Amino acid sequence: MSDELQRIMTIDDPYLLLREVTTRLADAQQEVTELARLRRRVVQDLHAQGLSYAQIAAKAGLSRGRIHQIRHTGPAPEGAFLGRGAVTVATPLRRDDERGRTVVAVDDVSSGKRLEDLARSYGLDVASEHVPVTGEIDLNRDGLIVVCGPRMSQAMWDTYAQDPVLQWERAEDGPWTVVDRQTGTVYRSGQDSDPARPYDVGYLGRLPRPDGNGSLLAIAGIHTQGSLGVVQLLANDLNVMWGQVGDRRFSTLVGVEYDPETSEPQSVELLCPLYRHDEETAA
């Protein structure tokens, strides 16, 4: 029996006991989920290295059937790309100056909801919140996924500025662009081109928290359609991206062709490599 369980069992106040037990059960379930994910990842990695299930079983002291079961059941390892245990998805509020009220963009709502559904599909607990129109948000938290561009939040502007490769800049004629400092390529939204076309650019990166004690996942489009494209790429290729960068810091750009009537992505593609920041900093 753990010390924590013994402590809880000594609580006399029934309401405090109920609250403590409920909290502990939630924490324990998250821990069980992440242990199961890690166990499946270990078996998957060993099998990919060429070991048979029988060999893994013999070395681990488990049955071959149990190893096979672990390999094919439980939460998928790539879910850790989004976070561990629990994640919070933050989307921005916007100011409608004409009506004098705070609103949410439909595309931002869709991006947030799809991210939440994706995280839940990997066994993660999910919460949601908004980045207020002031742009103030506490980024020093575990499991944070922020769908917000640099122009809407000083905190996010400072975070994007930590990227050693991809840089948000305003073009001379006004629109936002993203510059790949590795190649010198300037990426621009089709909405801001002449002639305009239904095409946008989305950013995806795992960037350092302000306190230096972890990372957050940052998503932004030059316009809102870019964020939708990033979310679709995650839904389609999370396993591939996890295989390339794991839980390390990185960034990349996504090109999005979308339906001009609905903003729904019709095709998405990577515009550059998944830049590993540890490698870029070392270089």
Side-chain angles (χ1 to χ4, degrees):
M1 185 180 298
S2 69
D3 292 342
E4 179 66 5
L5 180 55
Q6 289 180 347
R7 180 191 69 80
I8 291 174
M9 292 179 67
T10 63
I11 296 174
D12 293 327
D13 183 331
Y15 302 106
L16 177 59
L17 176 60
L18 181 59
R19 184 166 65 248
E20 289 282 336
V21 169
T22 301
T23 300
R24 179 58 185 148
L25 279 171
D27 292 343
Q29 184 56 57
Q30 288 183 7
E31 185 173 329
V32 167
T33 298
E34 291 309 314
L35 286 171
R37 192 189 313 279
L38 179 59
R39 182 176 62 175
R40 180 175 174 181
R41 175 184 172 185
V42 172
V43 171
Q44 187 170 298
D45 289 348
L46 290 172
H47 190 57
Q49 293 169 20
L51 276 72
S52 69
Y53 293 140
Q55 289 172 317
I56 298 171
K59 290 180 177 293
L62 299 170
S63 70
R64 181 186 181 283
R66 184 64 174 137
I67 294 297
H68 187 274
Q69 181 186 42
I70 291 171
R71 171 62 180 83
H72 293 94
T73 60
E78 59 266 28
F81 184 95
L82 301 173
R84 300 184 187 279
V87 298
T88 300
V89 178
T91 54
L93 295 174
R94 301 170 186 268
R95 182 69 180 173
D96 184 340
D97 292 328
E98 291 185 5
R99 300 182 181 181
R101 64 181 183 180
T102 300
V103 298
V104 292
V106 173
D107 293 347
D108 290 335
V109 172
S110 297
S111 292
K113 179 65 166 58
R114 292 171 192 181
L115 279 169
E116 292 170 25
D117 291 344
L118 181 63
R120 289 191 183 97
S121 74
Y122 284 100
L124 297 165
D125 289 342
V126 180
S128 63
E129 65 180 55
H130 291 299
V131 181
V133 292
T134 61
E136 297 175 358
I137 179 173
D138 177 12
L139 301 178
N140 296 322
R141 294 175 282 164
D142 294 335
L144 196 58
I145 305 175
V146 185
V147 184
C148 181
R151 71 181 181 85
M152 301 186 69
S153 167
Q154 182 64 46
M156 288 306 297
W157 169 264
D158 294 340
T159 299
Y160 286 115
Q162 302 304 307
D163 190 320
V165 187
L166 301 175
Q167 181 176 2
W168 289 84
E169 291 185 359
R170 275 194 178 279
E172 291 185 358
D173 57 341
W176 283 93
T177 64
V178 186
V179 179
D180 184 332
R181 287 181 280 191
Q182 187 88 308
T183 64
T185 306
V186 178
Y187 293 96
R188 188 182 182 106
S189 174
Q191 294 184 38
D192 305 320
S193 303
D194 188 15
R197 64 189 181 100
Y199 174 84
D200 200 29
V201 176
Y203 174 103
L204 170 66
R206 184 175 292 113
L207 303 173
R209 291 173 9 182
D211 64 3
N213 295 325
S215 304
L216 59 93
L217 203 61
I219 296 172
I222 294 180
H223 297 285
T224 56
Q225 293 88 349
S227 298
L228 280 171
V230 170
V231 175
Q232 178 158 313
L233 181 75
L234 289 172
N236 292 343
D237 297 327
L238 193 64
N239 185 44
V240 174
M241 301 182 79
W242 168 254
Q244 291 188 39
V245 299
D247 57 5
R248 295 179 288 272
R249 291 172 184 168
F250 77 97
S251 57
T252 192
L253 296 176
V254 179
V256 187
E257 299 277 358
Y258 61 88
D259 185 322
E261 299 297 325
T262 65
S263 292
E264 284 296 317
Q266 295 182 317
S267 67
V268 296
E269 63 174 351
L270 286 176
L271 298 176
C272 64
L274 274 69
Y275 289 119
R276 288 256 308 271
H277 292 176
D278 52 355
E279 295 177 351
E280 299 304 324
T281 302

